[in-house]
Amino acid sequence: MASAAAESGRELPAFAGSRDPSASRLAYGYGYGYGPGSLRELRAREFGRLAGTVYLDHAGATLFSQSQLESFTNDLLENTYGNPHSQNISSKLTYDTVEQVRYRILAHFHTTAEDYTVIFTSGSTAALKLVAEAFPWVSQGPESSGSQFCYLTDSHTSVVGMRNVTMAINVTSTPVRPEDLWSAEERGASVSDPDCQLLHLFCYPAQSNFSGFRYPLSWIEEVKSGRLHPVSTPGKWFVLLDAASYVSTSPLDLSAHQADFVPISFYKIFGFPTGLGALLVHNRAAPLLRKTYFGGGTASAYLAGEDFYIPRPSVAQRFEDGTISFLDVIALKHGFDTLERLTGGMENIKQHTFTLAQYTYVALSSLRYPNGAAVVRIYSDSEFSSPEVQGPIINFNVLDDKGNIIGYSQVDKMASLYNIHLRTGCFCNTGACQRHLGISNEMVRKNFQAGHVCGDNMDLIDGQPTGSVRISFGYMSTLDDVQAFLRFIIDTRLHSSGDWPVPQAHADTGEAGAPSAESQADVTPAVMGRHSLSPQEDALTGSGVWNNSSTTVNAVPVAPPVCDVARTQQIPSEKAAGVLQGALGPLVVTNLYLYPIKSCAAFEVTRWPVGNQGLLYDRSWMVVNHNGVCLSQKQEPRLCLIQPFIDLQQRIMVIKAKGMEPIEVPLEENSEQTQIRQSRVCADRVNTYDCGEKISSWLSTFFGRPCHLIKQSSNFQRNAKKKHGKDQLPGTMATLSLVNEAQYLLINTSSILELHQQLNTSDENGKQELFSVKDLSLRFRANIIINGKRAFEEEKWDEISIGSLHFQVVGPCHRCQMICIDQQTGQRNQHVFQKLSESRETKVNFGMYLMHTSLDLSSPCFLSVGSQVLPVLKENVEGHDLPASEKHQDVTS
């Protein structure tokens, strides 16, 4: 029975089957010429950039339409808008337009300027901060219990943060759980003192940004009237309704639900502009707000030499310090116009997005493993019965067939392989996250001590989740989006690739294709140059390694055979397994790689000099986009098709790619002509310099977009985030190149072979080999490969020596989706990541980071293939699991 249920669970339910027959018909798509059949047409015309992408983070930020941006741009091109604080014609046009936009905002929320005032802010967070600082709080004292600030625990961080303002002035802050307020609502009004004039503030969200649950708007009037008390405190209550999440997909009628303060962010509604929000203040509450600072445009009159200041009479002008972002405000008109034109209004959006959410909820809830276990655990306070109680947000965690939670970071990485964009973590709502996931206050503190902070990828600690996965729908979301997401869950958890085609994100290589042996084999070492060499380089070139007459060299590209070592990986996998895993000899280095350009192809060597940052020139360069942001294979898989070759004699790097002429880049900068610029690598600031227009043009041609090659400045020292190495001298720090985390990455051939066997297990029809050992090895982008005797034995090592060099093992490499990219074609295949996550019991670790424990560079140091590896085991460590406090970044270089 369970198996039968699982089989049916692999099939998507009929779309209409998600609706309750007794309920009124819910709408999918829009009228006004955009019915269900033409919603795809709307997507293609207005959101063409989404082709091939499933965007499911509308609660984070929805997307602007093409016509919205075109309309706004045309407005700017056809009109001259000046500073609204001036008195000229263009400024008068700006002022009048801004005032019209205020009216339009109020009309959108079914109210007028007679009842509400629009104060523009930088977003809903700034609006909340304004209320916290301007509300007429009464401090607690000997003769007064003072004001109360109460907030629902299911609130955004920006609401909870208001308590620090109130605490500073000795005002009590009280968190209120949703269940406590529901209980108070059932009990009815409590005894109050009608003569008490203390002013209190209660904040709650119209819609939880965590689960999408919609709290009753009736609470507004019930709290204000005294029929519902957040706490048993007499006085007059004001209500702040956090509507930022709610109004993104639903109409809000402020004529019926008259909250005193309503913060909103406009990009949540129609995607553009960002950085602009508003506080809607009811006019009866506006006179109570107090303000100390005054900025430009807020004063009717003031003196610079005396304490004399008269504020503007208008509430909006009094609180909008300085010149508002008036062009962004003008853009709002085009946002509202476009939304109305495309959808017919917020009520249609509400019905459309809920229909998609309800269908997804039903489909997810029905998914079962062959043993009957649920595939997902959904966190919700509703059963998605009505858009009145549930918004278009679904929060969940994925489970394995034993009921264990699979970390959200792993789900996120797998989703990216299907080009699905979702959100993970706690979504700036710790209260809801704790409540739904059962995380105690003590666990939050322990998790922080273990290294977990908001926004990181430490998704499981001691087997317990620190967050979850959230998908959310917007007005342009389609049934195709939903079904693509559901197929992703089915493909990755129920393995029904026969039922649903597995999406393949092939690199659009254009003229650039996979590197050929012919394009690489013509690289031969050059003769000795006239330039002076470093001790390491001089020792290498003087050793006879770089001999033009030799057909077997010690520094060659990846594709050609490398001495005898690479040949062992080119024989059939069964024989390789027998040779490498069954060998009885000592542990030795079998392969050495460096990656001169971060995220580009490997450069394989048999002997190479070591510097204070690792292998000489390893990840010394990186490719950046036109904004100076580092590119990785996650954004641009074709980086792996760029083949760099280091020529130490001529002191150049030769860069090749199919369809491109080879180009040379000097190994060192010209200090007199170099302009230093600052860049970022894994949150670290690094000093770099641009390698010139010639290579920039070469890269831009290859990728079809503006790119630059930059190199870490030779006189800049990037320190590791913490001290590594037991033998490090006091006060010294390990230094890094442009790597993500550590100087070296080591992998074990036996670990590769185990994964290789799992990936290539034949089914009853007999599959051909999907991955070669060499292919898998290259995907993990290691510097050092060894011939270990047992899979993953390296995870039990504390230190290792390779020849005369000593290293500390600083932890495992937590893998990202880059291991799914074939390093010789640039094509993606999600099987590697998925199989590794299954075999490693949901932790996608592979390879170990190494750092020098001590390094004496007074004489040349080298790493060589064939060098013996001597490991030192950890003390009191069993199995493969490492402490939860060990946090490591994804490898993307």
Side-chain angles (χ1 to χ4, degrees):
M1 293 293 292
S3 179
E7 289 298 326
S8 63
R10 293 190 182 111
E11 299 178 1
L12 299 184
F15 183 47
S18 67
R19 299 172 181 166
D20 182 354
S22 64
S24 59
R25 184 179 184 277
L26 296 175
Y28 172 73
Y30 306 103
Y32 301 88
Y34 300 112
S38 59
L39 188 57
R40 290 179 182 173
E41 178 189 340
L42 183 151
R43 268 282 286 264
R45 185 180 63 257
E46 296 286 351
F47 302 93
R49 63 190 185 278
L50 284 179
T53 298
V54 179
Y55 185 83
L56 297 177
D57 188 25
H58 294 274
T62 199
L63 305 173
F64 60 82
S65 66
Q66 182 172 321
S67 61
Q68 173 189 347
L69 207 58
E70 289 173 347
S71 177
F72 172 53
T73 303
N74 291 337
D75 190 345
L76 295 185
L77 294 175
E78 294 169 2
N79 296 283
T80 301
Y81 293 108
N83 190 312
H85 291 163
S86 299
Q87 297 299 316
N88 56 60
I89 296 175
S90 59
S91 299
K92 184 67 166 57
L93 174 63
T94 302
Y95 178 83
D96 291 342
T97 305
V98 167
E99 294 309 301
Q100 283 299 121
V101 172
R102 292 188 204 270
Y103 298 149
R104 181 64 181 275
I105 293 169
L106 294 173
H108 181 80
F109 294 109
H110 303 278
T111 187
T112 67
E114 294 180 358
D115 292 324
Y116 280 90
T117 296
V118 178
I119 301 174
F120 287 115
T121 64
S122 63
S124 58
T125 293
L128 291 164
K129 183 170 179 283
L130 188 158
V131 175
E133 294 173 341
F135 191 81
W137 305 107
V138 176
S139 300
Q140 187 175 3
E143 300 180 357
S144 173
S145 60
S147 297
Q148 282 269 355
F149 168 56
C150 293
Y151 58 90
L152 208 65
T153 53
D154 185 356
S155 288
H156 193 277
T157 302
S158 299
V159 170
V160 180
M162 295 171 68
R163 72 185 181 196
N164 277 25
V165 176
T166 63
M167 289 167 60
I169 56 176
N170 201 25
V171 168
T172 303
S173 297
T174 305
V176 180
R177 299 183 307 166
E179 48 267 38
D180 292 338
L181 205 58
W182 287 324
S183 298
E185 190 176 23
E186 292 175 359
R187 290 194 303 269
S190 58
V191 178
S192 61
D193 182 358
D195 297 325
C196 181
Q197 297 301 308
L198 286 173
L199 305 182
H200 311 299
L201 181 65
F202 173 58
C203 300
Y204 80 99
Q207 174 177 289
S208 169
N209 73 311
F210 182 92
S211 66
F213 180 75
R214 289 178 170 170
Y215 291 97
L217 296 177
S218 59
W219 282 359
I220 298 171
E221 183 56 34
E222 290 177 20
V223 170
K224 288 169 59 178
S225 65
R227 297 195 303 273
L228 177 64
H229 287 267
V231 292
S232 297
T233 302
K236 184 176 182 180
W237 283 92
F238 290 80
V239 175
L240 184 153
L241 182 72
D242 181 5
S245 179
Y246 182 88
V247 300
S248 62
T249 56
S250 283
L252 175 62
D253 187 348
L254 290 180
S255 66
H257 308 289
Q258 297 190 357
D260 299 290
F261 309 102
V262 183
I264 56 175
S265 285
F266 294 106
Y267 75 95
K268 303 272 189 182
I269 305 174
F270 35 67
F272 178 86
T274 58
L276 181 67
L279 176 67
L280 309 185
V281 184
H282 200 285
N283 291 336
R284 65 170 170 262
L288 299 175
L289 297 179
R290 302 175 300 193
K291 191 166 183 283
T292 52
Y293 173 82
F294 65 93
T298 65
S300 291
Y302 77 97
L303 289 173
E306 295 183 17
D307 185 12
F308 173 74
Y309 161 69
I310 304 298
R312 293 271 188 183
S314 163
V315 174
Q317 290 180 327
R318 193 157 69 243
F319 281 92
E320 291 172 351
D321 291 308
T323 302
I324 61 174
S325 186
F326 56 88
L327 293 181
D328 284 339
V329 171
I330 293 170
L332 298 181
K333 172 190 179 298
H334 301 280
F336 286 119
D337 287 349
T338 303
L339 205 65
E340 184 73 25
R341 176 172 54 83
L342 295 180
T343 69
M346 296 303 297
E347 183 61 35
N348 291 339
I349 294 174
K350 170 184 172 182
Q351 299 294 334
H352 169 75
T353 54
F354 176 75
T355 299
L356 293 175
Q358 186 188 57
Y359 170 69
T360 310
Y361 171 80
V362 171
L364 280 177
S365 301
S366 69
L367 294 179
R368 293 289 185 272
Y369 285 104
N371 64 0
V375 173
V376 300
R377 178 178 299 156
I378 298 175
Y379 305 110
S380 176
D381 288 311
S382 84
E383 295 183 353
F384 286 71
S385 59
S386 162
E388 305 306 318
V389 297
Q390 180 64 47
I393 294 174
I394 302 176
N395 197 302
F396 63 97
N397 266 318
V398 178
L399 310 175
D400 65 17
D401 58 1
K402 300 179 182 65
N404 300 314
I405 288 177
I406 297 171
Y408 60 75
S409 179
Q410 180 180 334
V411 176
D412 189 23
K413 291 170 185 175
M414 283 298 301
S416 71
L417 295 174
Y418 287 72
N419 213 7
I420 295 174
H421 303 192
L422 39 75
R423 180 87 176 260
T424 60
C426 271
F427 323 103
C428 296
N429 191 332
T430 299
C433 192
Q434 285 186 257
R435 175 170 166 262
H436 285 285
L437 274 65
I439 303 173
S440 67
N441 292 346
E442 183 59 30
M443 288 171 67
V444 172
R445 294 186 178 95
K446 282 183 62 178
N447 292 347
F448 175 74
Q449 293 170 357
H452 172 57
V453 296
C454 293
D456 68 12
N457 59 5
M458 287 187 70
D459 47 17
L460 295 172
I461 296 181
D462 297 328
Q464 299 301 311
T466 62
S468 55
V469 182
R470 186 186 73 185
I471 60 172
S472 50
F473 303 101
Y475 76 84
M476 75 296 298
S477 296
T478 67
L479 181 60
D480 292 338
D481 293 330
V482 171
Q483 293 186 332
F485 167 74
L486 292 173
R487 287 167 182 163
F488 152 68
I489 296 293
I490 291 170
D491 285 347
T492 55
R493 299 317 309 164
L494 299 178
H495 313 298
S496 57
S497 56
D499 297 331
W500 299 106
V502 177
Q504 296 284 336
H506 297 289
D508 182 13
T509 56
E511 291 297 319
S516 64
E518 290 79 12
S519 68
Q520 298 171 332
D522 59 353
V523 178
T524 56
V527 296
M528 180 74 72
R530 294 192 300 270
H531 305 285
S532 61
L533 302 178
S534 67
Q536 292 86 356
E537 296 169 325
D538 184 55
L540 183 58
T541 55
S543 66
V545 171
W546 297 86
N547 186 338
N548 283 332
S549 62
S550 174
T551 57
T552 302
V553 297
N554 286 54
V556 296
V558 169
V562 182
C563 300
D564 291 330
V565 177
R567 294 194 188 107
T568 64
Q569 295 188 3
Q570 293 177 352
I571 62 177
S573 58
E574 311 87 57
K575 296 181 181 178
V579 171
L580 296 174
Q581 197 166 18
L584 299 177
L587 292 175
V588 296
V589 174
T590 61
N591 301 80
L592 282 176
Y593 297 99
L594 60 149
Y595 305 83
I597 307 176
K598 186 177 176 71
S599 246
C600 289
F603 178 50
E604 185 170 9
V605 297
T606 56
R607 187 169 186 260
W608 197 257
V610 169
N612 59 1
Q613 296 177 339
L615 291 171
L616 196 63
Y617 297 118
D618 180 44
R619 296 174 173 93
S620 291
W621 292 264
M622 64 182 179
V623 180
V624 297
N625 67 9
H626 63 289
N627 291 322
V629 177
C630 176
L631 293 179
S632 78
Q633 289 183 30
K634 286 193 286 190
Q635 299 90 29
E636 182 51 82
R638 288 181 295 163
L639 281 164
C640 69
L641 305 180
I642 302 291
Q643 296 274 318
F645 306 91
I646 300 290
D647 189 328
L648 294 176
Q649 295 172 326
Q650 295 196 39
R651 302 180 65 79
I652 60 171
M653 175 172 62
V654 180
I655 305 174
K656 289 191 169 189
K658 187 175 181 180
M660 304 290 292
E661 289 294 322
I663 188 170
E664 298 178 359
V665 174
L667 294 183
E668 303 298 341
E669 68 265 37
N670 184 335
S671 57
E672 296 179 358
Q673 300 178 2
T674 299
Q675 182 176 358
I676 301 298
R677 62 170 66 181
Q678 292 193 342
S679 303
R680 289 178 69 83
V681 173
C682 296
D684 289 345
R685 178 185 60 83
V686 293
N687 284 356
T688 62
Y689 67 90
D690 196 301
C691 294
E693 286 302 317
K694 186 177 178 182
I695 182 61
S696 173
S697 176
W698 192 94
L699 290 169
S700 300
T701 299
F702 181 79
F703 291 116
R705 55 171 165 159
C707 295
H708 295 266
L709 183 70
I710 62 175
K711 184 178 186 290
Q712 185 175 359
S713 177
S714 58
N715 58 8
F716 176 80
Q717 180 170 299
R718 177 190 172 204
N719 294 326
K721 290 182 174 63
K722 63 179 180 178
K723 293 183 180 181
H724 292 292
K726 297 178 180 178
D727 299 328
Q728 224 171 278
L729 295 174
T732 64
M733 293 287 289
T735 59
L736 302 176
S737 61
L738 300 178
V739 297
N740 280 9
E741 182 150 351
Q743 295 167 337
Y744 301 88
L745 179 62
L746 174 146
I747 63 174
N748 176 2
T749 304
S750 292
S751 304
I752 288 284
L753 290 170
E754 181 173 293
L755 178 61
H756 175 264
Q757 183 179 11
Q758 293 166 347
L759 283 166
N760 293 311
T761 299
S762 297
D763 59 17
E764 62 275 10
N765 299 319
K767 284 185 179 178
Q768 64 177 5
E769 182 176 86
L770 297 176
F771 304 93
S772 69
V773 175
K774 185 73 170 182
D775 172 27
L776 286 178
S777 299
L778 293 176
R779 288 170 183 256
F780 291 102
R781 301 178 64 80
N783 298 110
I784 303 167
I785 300 182
I786 63 167
N787 65 335
K789 304 302 179 292
R790 293 178 302 278
F792 304 108
E793 63 179 304
E794 63 274 17
E795 295 184 354
K796 297 181 181 180
W797 297 347
D798 189 43
E799 300 176 9
I800 65 168
S801 295
I802 303 177
S804 62
L805 297 173
H806 304 283
F807 305 87
Q808 182 173 354
V809 181
V810 297
C813 174
H814 191 55
R815 291 295 176 169
C816 70
Q817 57 270 36
M818 262 183 62
I819 63 174
C820 294
I821 298 173
D822 186 326
Q823 294 299 297
Q824 300 189 63
T825 66
Q827 294 184 358
R828 286 190 176 100
N829 184 306
Q830 82 281 2
H831 292 309
V832 178
F833 189 94
Q834 182 174 340
K835 181 58 67 175
L836 186 60
S837 68
E838 293 169 1
S839 63
R840 303 307 325 272
E841 297 180 350
T842 75
K843 280 295 183 182
V844 193
N845 292 339
F846 199 97
M848 302 301 291
Y849 286 124
L850 307 180
M851 298 287 282
H852 292 297
T853 56
S854 61
L855 186 65
D856 182 5
L857 292 177
S858 60
S859 59
C861 297
F862 298 89
L863 274 174
S864 301
V865 169
S867 297
Q868 187 170 358
V869 179
L870 299 175
V872 176
L873 290 176
K874 293 181 179 181
E875 296 180 1
N876 302 322
V877 173
E878 296 180 0
H880 299 307
D881 294 334
L882 292 173
S885 59
E886 289 192 21
K887 173 188 174 187
H888 300 281
Q889 298 177 2
D890 296 337
V891 168
T892 58
S893 58

